[in-house]
Amino acid sequence: MDPLVIVVVCCLFLGSVVGILAGMLGIGGGLIIVPALSYLLVHFLGMTTETVMPVAIATSLSTIIFTGMSSAFAHYRLGNIQPNIVLYTSIGIAVGAVLGAQVASHISGELLKNVFAVLVILIAAQMIFGKQKASQTDASKPALIGVGSGTGIISALMGIGGGALLVPALVWFKVNIRAAIGCAAFSGLVIALFGTASFVVAGWNASDVPPYSVGYVFLPATAGIVTTSVFTANAGAKLGQKANVKVLKAMLACLLILVSIRMIVGIE
């Protein structure tokens, strides 16, 4: 079978898993998409560790555009989008996402792989041990822009929507939890749009990308993941109503730690 076909079929399956986990646990798919897609591109399309990470991260961000639209609209209908919070956070996120994508496309693939793995381990630890606390300070405009910038940079470096980073940060500044989640949903869309565009520009003349790529975005993988994740997210949301979410998050966090350690050791 053609290696490209194998990758697309695997991405269809990957999208179904990502959709279920996103709907069930409220996480973005980038934490799973990036390592899985890196493996597929290395083993079936012959990419090297040095060149695969920008492609995997950019492609992950491109899939979040589609899931982010649906999530943001749902939270808007629920009244969870507070304009003053979203506006200033999004300004910082837009700038941070562009900067993060540029950094990711200009550092070595090996360093980017290790940075991704370490950040995933930290996020996984937060999922297991972290508690949402509030500071004594309300969210000022500079604070929101700063939080957004930091989230945008890290999210673009990792190819994630940023909810795992943004929600605890906003809650720290005494933003209502529902408003924080709604802001994270909208911000994921902003990160995806600006981050993907930046990766397209950065990789426009790259010669070491797979066929059917636009910049660093590998379109067949984007199409495969989005095709199934859009449908399985609803099923995941229904499962999340019945399952023990805390246990599931702990299990997922342990899996992410193992995957990250494997990435540090080597994905080839």
Side-chain angles (χ1 to χ4, degrees), residues 177-246:
I177 182 64
R178 293 186 183 277
I181 293 173
C183 179
F186 183 84
S187 297
L189 176 58
V190 176
I191 289 169
L193 285 170
F194 282 87
T196 300
S198 191
F199 270 112
V200 168
V201 172
W204 190 257
N205 294 317
S207 59
D208 50 1
V209 296
Y212 310 109
S213 296
V214 177
Y216 284 118
V217 178
F218 182 41
L219 295 179
T222 299
I225 293 169
V226 170
T227 297
T228 50
S229 65
V230 168
F231 296 102
T232 57
N234 289 330
K238 293 178 181 179
L239 289 173
Q241 298 297 318
K242 303 175 182 179
N244 188 324
V245 175
K246 289 184 178 180

Side-chain angles (χ1 to χ4, degrees), residues 129-175:
F129 303 110
K131 295 181 179 180
Q132 293 178 329
K133 301 178 181 179
S135 72
Q136 301 302 313
T137 306
D138 290 326
S140 63
K141 294 176 184 178
L144 291 173
I145 294 174
V147 166
S149 298
T151 300
I153 291 172
I154 295 173
S155 298
L157 277 171
M158 299 181 67
I160 64 175
L165 306 171
L166 189 58
V167 172
L170 290 177
V171 169
W172 171 261
F173 285 107
K174 298 198 290 188
V175 174

Side-chain angles (χ1 to χ4, degrees), residues 63-107:
T63 67
I64 297 172
I65 293 175
F66 299 92
T67 56
M69 286 181 182
S70 175
S71 179
F73 184 66
H75 281 283
Y76 174 77
R77 288 187 298 176
L78 291 170
N80 293 338
I81 304 292
Q82 290 190 7
N84 62 317
I85 301 294
V86 169
L87 173 61
Y88 294 104
T89 305
S90 296
I91 291 173
I93 279 175
V95 175
V98 171
L99 292 176
Q102 290 298 313
V103 170
S105 61
H106 285 90
I107 64 177

